[in-house]
Structure formats: structure tokens, C-alpha cells
């Protein structure tokens, strides 16, 4: 099943987890530590899956990741800031679905921008609706790995509900470490 189909079929917990995982993996761009998003993950563990403490946790995360004015920040950082800013205060309804979809697109774009093997200024955005059998360009390794992580998070949350949160966090943590290394190499290259 494609990423687009998985997002379309996801329940509230799956959508919130998907968007949160994308944001979590991009935390290195916002100079956040590895634990900053953890309280939001915890809100998804309740039985309703709607995260009753979501709004309060989201406000804390926004405070901790508040950065400078957008002047001078590159596109990848701006996309990550927009992901955080766009997170809905209510972890339900159409807002969470739109946010999860936007986070998916933004995270894939961020990975494309940061991939040292790709000129991100050229080419279209990553296809999320299907494979590359139609002859379109295959995604770079960094982008392909992010695509796999997004699919895995949605599948594990759909298949295991609250019990799948642990695996979703593990997948997100792995991706955050990869992106942190990419960001670090990129910073060293600019010096």
C-alpha cells in the first residue's frame, strides 16, 4: 500500500503518530534534544488515542523549540518550523489528517534538500502514491529511507494501535540519528 493510501486509511492515533514521527525526525534542524518530543508521544498512549494532554504538550514543545526569526534560515529549517507551527491543538478530526499529510510531504522535502547526493533544486518532489515502475526517477537513499520510515510508522500503528507506539518511536529515533549526522556533516562542510 502506498504512503498516500496509508495516510488516507489511518485512524486518529496513526495520523498523530505519523505527523509526530516526521516532526521528531526533523528535530535536529531545530536544535532540539532527543527527548523534546517524548511527552507528545506519551499523550498518544491513552486508550482513546486522541491525546487528552496533546495541546498542553504541544505548547511545551513549541516553547522549547522556539527559534530565531525566519530571516537567514534555510528551506529545510523553515519546513521543520512550519511542521511544528501547523500542528493542531486538537489531536482529532480533519486538522490532524491534514497535518499528517503535510508533515509527510515536508519531511520528504527536507530529506531531499539535505541529501548530499542530490541537487534538491532540480527535479520534482518525492512520489508518495506508488513505486517507480512508471519510469520516474528513483529517490536518493536518504529520501528512500525516510519514505520507508513513514510507511513503517503508519503500518505499525494501524496494526498494533497503542502497542505499536514503542516501535514507531524506535523508527523515529533511528531517523532522527541519521538526520542529526547529515546536519552535522553539512555544518562542518560550511565552515
Amino acid at each position: 500500500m502506498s504512503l498516500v493510501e496509508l495516510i488516507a486509511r489511518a485512524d486518529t492515533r496513526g495520523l498523530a503518530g505519523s505527523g509526530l514521527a516526521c516532526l521528531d525526525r526533523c528535530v535536529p534542524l531545530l536544535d532540539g534534544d532527543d527527548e523534546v518530543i517524548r511527552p507528545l508521544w506519551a499523550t498518544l498512549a491513552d486508550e482513546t488515542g486522541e491525546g487528552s494532554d496533546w495541546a498542553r504538550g504541544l505548547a511545551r514543545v513549541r516553547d522549547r523549540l522556539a527559534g530565531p526569526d525566519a530571516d537567514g534560515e534555510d528551506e529545510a529549517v523553515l519546513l521543520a518550523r512550519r511542521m511544528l507551527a501547523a500542528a493542531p491543538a486538537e489531536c482529532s478530526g480533519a486538522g490532524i489528517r491534514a497535518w499528517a499529510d503535510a508533515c509527510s510531504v515536508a519531511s520528504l522535502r527536507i530529506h531531499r534538500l539535505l541529501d548530499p547526493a542530490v541537487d534538491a533544486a532540480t527535479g520534482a518532489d518525492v512520489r508518495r502514491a506508488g513505486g517507480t515502475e512508471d519510469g520516474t526517477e528513483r529517490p536518493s537513499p536518504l529520501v528512500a529511507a525516510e519514505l520507508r520510515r513513514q510507511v513503517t510508522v503508519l503500518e505499525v500503528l494501524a496494526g498494533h494501535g497503542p502497542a505499536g507506539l514503542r516501535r514507531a518511536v524506535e523508527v523515529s529515533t533511528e531517523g532522527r540519528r541519521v538526520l542529526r549526522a547529515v546536519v552535522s556533516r553539512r555544518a562542518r562542510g560550511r565552515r
Side-chain angles (χ1 to χ4, degrees):
M1 194 175 308
S2 76
L3 181 55
V4 171
E5 292 168 325
L6 287 167
I7 290 171
R9 294 180 182 193
D11 63 6
T12 299
R13 181 181 286 113
L15 293 168
S18 176
L20 190 55
C22 289
L23 177 60
D24 195 3
R25 287 188 295 276
C26 294
V27 161
L29 292 167
L30 304 177
D31 294 326
D33 63 51
D34 289 349
E35 299 298 316
V36 71
I37 301 290
R38 191 164 296 276
L40 283 176
W41 282 112
T43 67
L44 299 182
D46 71 17
E47 286 306 308
T48 64
E50 296 187 16
S52 58
D53 294 328
W54 175 266
R56 209 175 10 238
L58 182 58
R60 282 189 219 120
V61 169
R62 284 181 174 147
D63 285 345
R64 288 186 64 193
L65 295 178
D69 207 354
D71 293 339
E73 291 185 326
D74 67 14
E75 185 180 354
V77 175
L78 291 174
L79 286 167
R81 289 207 186 288
R82 286 184 200 135
M83 258 195 276
L84 178 57
E90 262 187 63
C91 188
S92 61
I96 201 74
R97 184 170 303 281
W99 180 64
D101 190 57
C103 286
S104 172
V105 171
S107 186
L108 288 166
R109 177 71 181 151
I110 286 167
H111 283 74
R112 184 176 174 88
L113 287 166
L114 296 176
D115 196 321
V118 174
D119 179 3
T122 63
D125 283 333
V126 177
R127 287 179 39 110
R128 299 179 314 140
T132 58
E133 56 277 348
D134 63 356
T136 60
E137 176 184 335
R138 288 192 184 277
S140 67
L142 187 65
V143 174
E146 172 60 12
L147 194 54
R148 280 191 305 274
R149 285 184 192 97
Q150 288 188 28
V151 166
T152 299
V153 166
L154 283 160
E155 287 175 343
V156 77
L157 291 174
H160 303 286
L165 284 169
R166 171 178 245 136
R167 177 69 182 130
V169 171
E170 289 170 357
V171 168
S172 184
T173 299
E174 171 197 352
R176 186 175 58 245
R177 288 180 185 138
V178 168
L179 198 64
R180 191 174 303 282
V182 169
V183 168
S184 178
R185 274 193 306 267
R186 187 176 186 222
R188 282 192 307 267
R190 287 183 173 174
R191 290 183 196 155

